[in-house]
Amino acid sequence: MDKLVLLMRSIHENNRITQRALCSCTGLALGSVNNLIRDGISRGFISQGEKEGYLITDAGYEYLEDFKVERALIMAAGFGSRFVPLSFETPKGLLKVFGEPMVERQIKQLLEAGITDIAIVVGYMKERFEYLSDKYGIKLIFNPDYAVRNNIGSIEYAIDFLKDRNAYILSSDNWIRNNMYHSYEAAAWYSAKHADGTTSEWTLITDRKGRIIDTFPGGRDCDYMFGPVYFSKDFSRQFLPVLKKFCEMPGTEDYYWEHVLMAMLNGEAKKRINAYFGRIPETELCSRPEIYINRQPEDNVYEFENLEELRRFDPKYLDDSGSKAMQTVASAFGIPESGIGNIRRLKAGMTNNSWLFTVDGSSYICRIPGEGTERLINRHQECSVYNAVAPLDISEKLILFNEDTGYKIAEYYEDSRNADFGNEADLACCMRKLRMLHDSGVSVRHEFNIRRMIEFYEGLCGEVMFEDYAALRPQRDRLLQWVEENRKPSVLAHIDPVCDNFLFLKGAELPDGSRDPDKVRLIDWEYSGMCDPMIDLGMCAIYSFMDKERADRLMELYFERKPSEDEKRLVYAYMALGGLLWSLWGLYKESLGVQFSDYTIKMYRYFKKYSVYVMQM
């Protein structure tokens, strides 16, 4: 690290600063400051002012030019899963702390330091950041992989912005008390705090000069990564090509960019790149990069892990988070928001978002409708199904169902688990439960019409369609006509009997290895309606990506006998039509920016494969 740059930066930022004040600003001893001043004066970079203090000369500013901070990149693509339910409605970086969005506070601090070339990597709710372009002249860089890759992807999409530039790397959800940004930086650094006791953050190991020589997750009584980072041009030239190669290697989707730094520091980067690509020129850049620790005071950099931490920092969030979800729960229980605790996100569903919380020591789940759901689900019909099945004691216990918004609050069953359709006992019990529903005689006034639903989703997709779909439409029409001519009488069908919607309560496993159906709940009735009961078997098979042999076994467990050829053919037909329906559903959701990996393609393959198979039987 060029300590002369640190000294000259302090002179630049403080008019006619004294030697003792320079010691405080730079953290250097008085003797070191004295030597550096003499060196700067002898090289013509520093001049003695007429009064007490020092000034930077034109030659000094020319020397500082290579150390000038040119850009800043703010990462804001991620969801912020630990900040539910607020992050369901607002990107974490746009949450206000003391009335000001966290990302705006950092932008203002950068501008105060003279850094105007600022870009934000966006992904989740990207449109919510667009206003910053007009307000502050910010560039937006879209990361389309934000849902399936960690922040290594955000750096990859910003490589062109970072290349050959001195740049800060910030997280949109940091809150910085005192401005820690400068016009000039002496070397690459990572800001840090000190942990007394254990920490799950990344430990930093440094040499006596403050260079980072190793890093790894977790530690005790140590300095750890926390907050902003600075990439010098020299650091980026060495680091970014290696990061690019890591992004091309499988198995790095969950990596933070810090994983690449760790691999370069401990020598693993060169080995991994050579092993995967063979020896390439980038390998020569894999030696340990020069990056220093930038220790910050305990109360300067904040990153709020969850709502509880933010409540302790900004009391406004105790009873006024601004979240519709929190307001809904508080109103349902007749309590202030501060009475809602132990908040955490549950596994994200494909249609909705759900979060877990406690009130007065009891646990509950709140469901929030997902993007575009208002066009897909009739909540009044869903509510009628819940009312119809309530006497069967087959579903979850509701605390609230709002037919207008789709918000649902239900009791959470402690020590419960989802069904495992790879387990024969689980699958047999779930099929018994499904048969009980079909045989119950319960009915509702609306139906689930597979033809109308497919046509509806076709309309939503518009021109966003599979390339070969036009050629397959006659196949679709023949299959629909055959099903309509051979369908069974309508019963109340669930339509969405995926394994995650079968809940095994505590005590469901019996001593003989079987399962107690009375200890199983069938939940989430959004698509339910009157329909051919065989549609539930077809849907169940494709949701679990079953092949023909496994689907046949599913039917045996449902009927408790060998199915007839006609029964099998009807179930296969629903596997095909269900595959088409949900592939169109997936296309529409993806057009809204919701990512489902290869789910849509797999569903479309069921349609193509089983529609042909049914016609050949």
Side-chain angles (χ1 to χ4, degrees):
M1 179 185 292
D2 193 326
K3 294 180 179 179
L4 180 58
V5 173
L6 289 179
L7 184 101
M8 293 170 66
R9 182 181 74 187
S10 296
I11 294 173
H12 163 77
E13 293 176 346
N14 300 275
N15 188 37
R16 300 187 182 281
I17 190 170
T18 64
Q19 285 196 30
R20 292 196 178 277
L22 282 169
C23 293
S24 177
C25 290
T26 62
L28 299 172
L30 182 59
S32 296
V33 168
N34 190 32
N35 290 334
L36 289 169
I37 287 175
R38 285 203 303 268
D39 181 39
I41 291 174
S42 68
R43 298 169 68 178
F45 298 161
I46 301 172
S47 65
Q48 178 77 54
E50 294 179 4
K51 297 181 180 180
E52 185 180 15
Y54 301 92
L55 300 171
I56 304 297
T57 65
D58 290 342
Y61 280 112
E62 185 177 347
Y63 178 74
L64 286 174
E65 193 62 29
D66 281 344
F67 302 92
K68 186 176 180 61
V69 182
E70 299 163 283
R71 291 179 171 176
L73 180 74
I74 304 175
M75 294 197 289
F79 169 70
S81 60
R82 291 176 292 184
F83 230 82
V84 297
L86 276 62
S87 55
F88 287 136
E89 304 167 25
T90 304
K92 188 177 174 185
L94 291 180
L95 293 175
K96 294 181 179 180
V97 176
F98 301 122
E100 179 182 42
M102 286 186 279
V103 70
E104 284 202 47
R105 180 178 180 86
Q106 292 197 78
I107 290 170
K108 291 175 184 177
Q109 290 173 332
L110 290 167
L111 294 174
E112 287 173 7
I115 301 154
T116 58
D117 192 357
I118 305 170
I120 302 181
V121 184
V122 296
Y124 175 68
M125 289 191 179
K126 59 184 182 299
E127 67 283 351
R128 297 289 299 276
F129 292 92
E130 202 278 330
Y131 81 98
L132 297 171
S133 300
D134 295 323
K135 190 171 183 179
Y136 298 106
I138 303 301
K139 301 180 182 71
L140 299 183
I141 299 172
F142 178 53
N143 172 6
D145 301 328
Y146 72 91
V148 294
R149 296 176 68 195
N150 219 318
N151 73 12
I152 189 174
S154 289
I155 296 293
E156 183 187 21
Y157 280 102
I159 280 179
D160 288 342
F161 181 78
L162 297 173
K163 188 167 55 179
D164 297 323
R165 292 291 189 274
N166 294 321
Y168 288 122
I169 312 294
L170 288 64
S171 294
S172 66
D173 55 2
N174 283 170
W175 189 86
I176 313 296
R177 184 183 300 278
N178 298 312
N179 197 339
M180 59 183 291
Y181 308 119
H182 303 278
S183 298
Y184 304 97
E185 291 287 356
W189 52 255
Y190 206 123
S191 65
K193 284 188 176 183
H194 185 78
D196 292 321
T198 59
T199 177
S200 60
E201 302 289 348
W202 286 54
T203 293
L204 291 172
I205 307 299
T206 60
D207 63 15
R208 59 187 182 84
K209 293 183 178 181
R211 284 180 297 202
I212 299 172
I213 58 176
D214 200 3
T215 182
F216 42 83
R220 182 179 181 85
D221 299 327
C222 59
D223 293 320
Y224 60 89
M225 294 177 172
F226 203 80
V229 190
Y230 175 65
F231 284 12
S232 66
K233 284 184 280 193
D234 288 341
F235 177 85
S236 289
R237 289 187 192 114
Q238 188 175 2
F239 177 74
L240 294 178
V242 179
L243 178 135
K244 182 72 173 175
K245 287 300 177 187
F246 266 68
C247 289
E248 295 173 16
M249 290 191 286
T252 60
E253 294 81 9
D254 289 335
Y255 273 31
Y256 297 100
W257 70 259
E258 288 89 344
H259 280 98
V260 182
L261 176 62
M262 177 174 65
M264 294 178 72
L265 292 173
N266 65 26
E268 286 298 313
K270 184 173 183 177
K271 296 176 184 177
R272 292 191 59 180
I273 290 178
N274 281 342
Y276 187 77
F277 296 100
R279 187 169 180 80
I280 57 174
E282 281 85 348
T283 311
E284 303 308 318
L285 300 174
C286 289
S287 58
R288 180 182 294 166
E290 186 172 280
I291 183 169
Y292 291 79
I293 191 170
N294 182 356
R295 294 182 179 88
Q296 289 294 306
E298 178 62 29
D299 64 347
N300 197 45
V301 180
Y302 290 84
E303 180 180 347
F304 307 104
E305 292 293 325
N306 49 48
L307 180 57
E308 298 295 337
E309 287 190 8
L310 185 53
R311 281 172 166 175
R312 291 193 290 269
F313 192 77
D314 184 350
K316 169 189 175 296
Y317 281 91
L318 280 170
D319 289 314
D320 184 18
S321 66
S323 164
K324 182 180 177 181
M326 291 290 288
Q327 293 165 1
T328 298
V329 170
S331 175
F333 287 92
I335 59 173
E337 286 188 23
S338 55
I340 307 168
N342 299 313
I343 298 168
R344 65 183 186 272
R345 186 188 190 191
L346 294 179
K347 180 182 177 182
M350 299 185 72
T351 303
N352 305 299
N353 296 306
S354 298
W355 54 288
L356 184 67
F357 62 93
T358 60
V359 172
D360 293 331
S362 297
S363 298
Y364 304 90
I365 295 174
C366 178
R367 179 194 72 185
I368 301 175
E371 188 69 32
T373 307
E374 68 282 354
R375 300 188 67 182
L376 308 179
I377 306 294
N378 186 316
R379 299 299 180 185
H380 300 285
Q381 291 181 353
E382 182 188 5
C383 186
S384 72
V385 173
Y386 271 107
N387 291 333
V389 301
L392 301 179
D393 194 26
I394 197 174
S395 187
E396 70 266 48
K397 182 178 179 180
L398 296 187
I399 305 299
L400 169 78
F401 191 104
N402 188 312
E403 297 181 53
D404 296 320
T405 65
Y407 277 72
K408 181 183 73 174
I409 302 174
E411 286 187 359
Y412 177 74
Y413 297 98
E414 299 286 354
D415 300 319
S416 63
R417 65 173 178 84
N418 297 117
D420 175 9
F421 281 178
N423 181 292
E424 188 84 352
D426 273 17
L427 186 59
C429 185
C430 291
M431 290 305 97
R432 286 182 63 193
K433 199 74 175 180
L434 201 56
R435 184 70 178 267
M436 289 167 59
L437 170 67
H438 295 160
D439 293 343
S440 68
V442 168
S443 64
V444 292
R445 300 182 65 178
H446 64 275
E447 67 171 342
F448 184 90
N449 186 296
I450 189 72
R451 179 187 287 273
R452 286 205 297 266
M453 291 301 295
I454 288 173
E455 291 172 348
F456 172 67
Y457 284 122
E458 286 175 340
L460 289 180
C461 292
E463 296 182 0
V464 182
M465 194 58 72
F466 300 102
E467 287 290 331
D468 60 350
Y469 188 55
L472 294 174
R473 284 181 67 92
Q475 189 170 306
R476 180 211 72 162
D477 293 340
R478 288 194 299 273
L479 189 62
L480 281 168
Q481 183 178 348
W482 183 87
V483 164
E484 289 165 352
E485 293 172 352
N486 293 275
R487 66 189 304 276
K488 292 181 178 294
S490 290
V491 300
L492 181 60
H494 187 275
I495 310 298
D496 194 24
V498 62
C499 58
D500 287 347
N501 285 340
F502 286 96
L503 202 61
F504 281 73
L505 308 186
K506 185 178 180 180
E509 291 83 1
L510 298 176
D512 64 358
S514 64
R515 307 288 186 263
D516 180 358
D518 291 336
K519 295 285 188 178
V520 177
R521 297 291 180 269
L522 183 53
I523 65 175
D524 290 345
W525 300 75
E526 293 174 300
Y527 298 95
S528 181
M530 304 302 289
C531 195
D532 180 347
M534 296 301 97
I535 195 171
D536 274 348
L537 302 190
M539 295 295 191
C540 187
I542 64 174
Y543 292 149
S544 298
F545 306 119
M546 292 183 181
D547 58 17
K548 180 178 174 295
E549 181 180 0
R550 191 63 180 159
D552 288 350
R553 180 58 180 157
L554 175 81
M555 291 181 237
E556 290 178 7
L557 294 173
Y558 174 85
F559 291 114
E560 298 183 345
R561 59 170 171 78
K562 291 281 187 181
S564 69
E565 288 300 304
D566 286 343
E567 288 169 332
K568 289 201 291 187
R569 188 178 182 188
L570 193 53
V571 172
Y572 298 153
Y574 283 121
M575 290 173 68
L577 292 174
L580 175 58
L581 177 69
W582 301 125
S583 65
L584 295 171
W585 176 90
L587 282 181
Y588 171 64
K589 294 287 280 188
E590 287 173 1
S591 74
L592 300 176
V594 183
Q595 301 296 319
F596 291 123
S597 187
D598 60 348
Y599 171 82
T600 302
I601 295 173
K602 286 181 176 178
M603 291 296 106
Y604 194 50
R605 293 302 306 172
Y606 270 111
F607 164 61
K608 296 170 81 170
K609 179 178 179 179
Y610 281 85
S611 60
V612 171
Y613 188 71
V614 169
M615 294 307 170
Q616 290 175 343
M617 286 182 67

